[in-house]
Amino acid sequence: MFNDKSSLLETINQLDHGHHGSPVIALRENVKDKQSEVPIHQHTMGQLVFALKGGVTCQLPQSTVIVPPQCAVWIPKGVLHRVNATANAQICYLFVRPDMASLPQSGCTLSISPLVRELILDMSEQPHNYSDDLSVVRKALVLLEELGKMPIEHLSLPNPDDPRLKRIAKELFDNPADRRTLAEWGMAVAMSERSLARLFKQETGITFGRWRQQLHLIIAMHQLSEDYPVQRVADYLGYQSVTAFITMFKKSVGKPPAQYFAKLKQSES
């Protein structure tokens, strides 16, 4: 169990330079009363960041990935990333030998079943070098087999590369309540509305409107994981009413915020 970021990072660095041949290694961290950010880095093993409590946002080269409670982000080996956690979050880091699991080739959010959750928690209590303990090895292999079955949750935001789109994205991250239309953004970056729409779709694979909605979902997940009131989140995102915000949230994840997070809290207990 880690409460100090420096000791956690030191242990992670040691794992990267020698994982003892163990197929999977788990570490657990408790984030203190302030938000936590791990600087951009990469690993020689695949990494799963599992949010037991609170929320995590992971910045990848091509996307920003949401990790609400009871979900995890999968990061293949060698992929640069930055991890941000809400205050008082509880996180498990799972390090996976690349040759030991059938997992996606790109970063994504995975839904985690109760069985996989318990196996991850059990592995976090084990020594890193357990190759002589066959019972632990068997649990590790079951964990990897079950992990490969976990469904992908579409909770990511594509990051554009074009400097003009990066400017728009940064301004919207800094002020998500900004409701400028695509035509108004086009004027701000000296592009026609049609050209900007085409470029946005080309760079991100989705429309500007869909991208902004996904941005709002990322921010909402992060704030609601910290127990911010729904009214406060809706106001911060610039929604004219709580009802409009709840409609967006339900359309995106299938449940209104209260039901979505109530179900997650049941899983935590």
Side-chain angles (χ1 to χ4, degrees):
M1 182 82 70
F2 293 87
N3 292 290
D4 177 71
K5 186 189 297 183
S6 61
S7 61
L8 172 68
L9 292 176
E10 181 179 347
T11 300
I12 290 174
N13 186 57
Q14 291 172 356
L15 291 177
D16 269 340
H17 289 85
H19 46 68
H20 311 292
S22 302
V24 60
I25 296 169
L27 307 174
R28 187 169 174 178
E29 177 192 19
N30 283 338
V31 179
K32 294 185 179 180
D33 58 356
K34 293 184 179 179
Q35 290 196 9
S36 170
E37 177 175 309
V38 179
I40 192 164
H41 62 288
Q42 59 185 320
H43 302 291
T44 60
M45 294 184 285
Q47 183 186 26
L48 191 82
V49 182
F50 176 38
L52 293 164
K53 180 182 178 183
V56 175
T57 303
C58 186
Q59 297 280 348
L60 300 173
Q62 302 301 321
S63 63
T64 300
V65 181
I66 313 169
V67 195
Q70 305 307 313
C71 287
V73 60
W74 166 247
I75 306 163
K77 72 166 186 175
V79 173
L80 290 168
H81 59 283
R82 177 188 291 115
V83 176
N84 296 274
T86 59
N88 300 313
Q90 294 180 9
I91 306 168
C92 270
Y93 299 93
L94 198 70
F95 295 89
V96 180
R97 276 177 47 187
D99 59 332
M100 293 299 296
S102 178
L103 288 161
Q105 297 299 306
S106 57
C108 61
T109 302
L110 300 176
S111 181
I112 299 299
S113 70
L115 172 59
V116 171
R117 177 185 187 274
E118 293 306 315
L119 286 167
I120 291 173
L121 290 175
D122 184 84
M123 290 304 302
S124 71
E125 302 295 329
Q126 305 300 332
H128 299 159
N129 186 2
Y130 52 80
S131 57
D132 292 334
D133 190 333
L134 293 182
S135 66
V136 179
V137 172
R138 283 194 293 268
K139 281 188 287 190
L141 295 178
V142 170
L143 169 56
L144 292 177
E145 181 179 357
E146 291 297 317
L147 192 58
K149 301 174 185 177
M150 294 299 97
I152 294 175
E153 298 282 348
H154 298 287
L155 296 173
S156 64
L157 182 74
N159 295 329
D161 288 325
D162 184 272
R164 293 161 295 185
L165 300 192
K166 281 186 175 181
R167 174 188 163 186
I168 295 172
K170 183 180 185 307
E171 290 193 31
L172 286 173
F173 263 105
D174 293 342
N175 180 22
D178 190 328
R179 290 291 175 171
R180 272 180 279 182
T181 65
L182 197 59
E184 290 170 327
W185 281 114
M187 292 177 63
V189 297
M191 292 183 71
S192 70
E193 179 180 3
R194 179 177 294 182
S195 296
L196 182 57
R198 184 165 52 246
L199 181 61
F200 221 99
K201 184 70 179 291
Q202 177 183 322
E203 289 260 328
T204 67
I206 55 178
T207 65
F208 171 74
R210 181 75 181 106
W211 188 93
R212 180 157 59 183
Q213 179 177 302
Q214 198 73 349
L215 169 65
H216 285 175
L217 182 63
I218 284 179
I219 295 170
M221 285 283 195
H222 212 68
Q223 293 190 346
L224 291 169
S225 294
E226 291 191 272
D227 294 325
Y228 282 30
V230 173
Q231 176 73 64
R232 179 177 173 182
V233 176
D235 290 344
Y236 180 73
L237 297 176
Y239 284 84
Q240 294 183 344
S241 69
V242 173
T243 301
F245 167 72
I246 291 174
T247 298
M248 179 281 293
F249 192 97
K250 183 177 180 181
K251 183 179 178 181
S252 299
V253 303
K255 294 183 179 67
Q259 289 184 21
Y260 183 85
F261 282 90
K263 183 177 179 182
L264 292 179
K265 286 180 179 179
Q266 287 177 0
S267 300
E268 289 173 13
S269 58

